[in-house]
Amino acid sequence: MTRIDTLEIGDTVVRVSGSGTPLVFVHGFTTTAEFWREQVEAFSSRYKVVRINLPGHGVSPRPQGRGYTVQAFANDVLDVYRALDIDKAVLVGLSMGGTVAQSFTLSNPGRVRALVLVGATPHGLGQDVNADNVLKAIDELGVVTASQNVIERSFGRAASAELIAFAKQEVAQTPDFVARNAIASLNASDSRHRLGEIRVPTLVVVGNEDVITPPSESVVLARGITDSRLEVVAEAGHFPMLEQPEVFNRVLDEFLVTNISQSDQMRGIAPSQQAV
């Protein structure tokens, strides 16, 4: 069993396991660090796995006096880097976390060794989950039901009832004021004109049944980022790392071996010597 340490860094609760080159995982809108649970055992034996619960999400604090925006979350990621003495890391972002990861990379290019964007877009989310629709649903149904209804549409046809129930329980933790602030910021975010500035190796992953951030959005990302590779995961919706973990982990592992492990070997750095 992999040891997992829980740390509170500013307004974030962070789960840390393993050692080696850091992999920093950032979840999406109203989801949590537990959406990366299938990656812990797969990667902690070779990498330092850092799973961030963004402020206001999951078990993290939710103070009223701060922003819950893409830029604020990117600053929170930087605080985690500093607290854990991380110089550079592979940054992995899901959905809104992918938007946060793009913002972080553009602002801190020297701190990202490689970038992984999962179910992400360069602008907002798909039409099914734009800010107007989400805010209207929150007004009419309340934030818990509105978030859980999004979850119902997020999974592919092969997802089990148990997996969907887990996801519904996780998203129910995000309060109204956090969700409203976050979706408005996400809706306004737009990196389309800056994708060419991302110059690190990038893996773009999307489920072929994703209706939240359709595969066409991932195509835009992959075309806009010069050193990028697009992987479409079959029989998966918005959460391929949960729905098809073996496929996702293999794709991510191949990307890391090619872009991180081989690079370290060329520079004569053994795994135990990799900076954290």
Side-chain angles (χ1 to χ4, degrees):
M1 181 69 69
T2 298
R3 170 179 168 175
I4 300 174
D5 294 322
T6 299
L7 308 172
E8 188 165 327
I9 299 171
D11 293 329
T12 70
V13 170
V14 182
R15 312 290 195 199
V16 182
S17 54
S19 61
T21 298
L23 308 183
V24 177
F25 292 87
V26 186
H27 62 76
F29 174 67
T30 73
T31 62
T32 72
E34 297 311 309
F35 276 63
W36 301 111
R37 65 184 188 179
E38 298 292 341
Q39 284 63 61
V40 175
E41 293 292 337
F43 294 98
S44 294
S45 63
R46 293 164 293 154
Y47 300 93
K48 183 171 187 173
V49 174
V50 179
R51 294 177 295 140
I52 297 175
N53 270 296
L54 293 172
H57 294 71
V59 296
S60 284
R62 53 203 65 184
Q64 292 272 358
R66 60 156 289 152
Y68 295 90
T69 64
V70 169
Q71 186 55 57
F73 293 145
N75 290 338
D76 293 310
V77 173
L78 183 57
D79 288 342
V80 171
Y81 266 65
R82 289 169 172 161
L84 298 180
D85 293 323
I86 295 173
D87 179 27
K88 300 179 73 169
V90 177
L91 187 57
V92 187
L94 164 69
S95 194
M96 182 183 74
T99 303
V100 172
Q102 291 172 67
S103 177
F104 182 93
T105 303
L106 290 166
S107 299
N108 306 276
R111 287 188 172 272
V112 180
R113 291 193 65 177
L115 181 64
V116 182
L117 303 174
V118 184
T121 82
H123 177 53
L125 289 174
Q127 289 303 306
D128 192 47
V129 193
N130 63 41
D132 290 341
N133 291 344
V134 172
L135 293 172
K136 181 180 179 182
I138 292 174
D139 288 338
E140 294 178 352
L141 305 172
V143 68
V144 172
T145 299
S147 297
Q148 291 181 333
N149 285 351
V150 172
I151 286 297
E152 286 278 5
R153 302 193 300 276
S154 295
F155 285 94
R157 289 168 292 179
S160 68
E162 291 78 11
L163 185 57
I164 296 171
F166 152 78
K168 283 185 171 183
Q169 183 176 2
E170 291 297 298
V171 302
Q173 299 174 80
T174 303
D176 181 289
F177 69 94
V178 172
R180 289 178 183 275
N181 197 191
I183 195 64
S185 175
L186 178 58
N187 199 65
S189 297
D190 191 348
S191 64
R192 287 174 293 186
H193 64 295
R194 298 194 65 189
L195 292 177
E197 297 176 37
I198 298 176
R199 302 189 182 279
V200 296
T202 301
L203 173 64
V204 181
V205 184
V206 66
N208 70 329
E209 299 178 22
D210 191 341
V211 298
I212 306 300
T213 54
S216 58
E217 297 286 349
S218 288
V219 171
V220 174
L221 285 172
R223 287 177 176 171
I225 300 171
T226 302
D227 186 4
S228 65
R229 164 186 165 189
L230 173 63
E231 289 284 347
V232 180
V233 179
E235 298 186 39
H238 193 49
F239 305 119
M241 70 289 181
L242 277 173
E243 298 173 71
Q244 300 293 341
E246 291 184 2
V247 175
F248 179 88
N249 291 346
R250 175 180 53 78
V251 168
L252 178 55
D253 187 53
E254 290 173 355
F255 175 76
L256 294 173
V257 168
T258 300
N259 293 282
I260 303 300
S261 299
Q262 290 183 5
S263 174
D264 287 340
Q265 289 172 8
M266 290 176 65
R267 291 186 291 138
I269 301 175
S272 61
Q273 295 174 310
Q274 294 170 6
V276 297

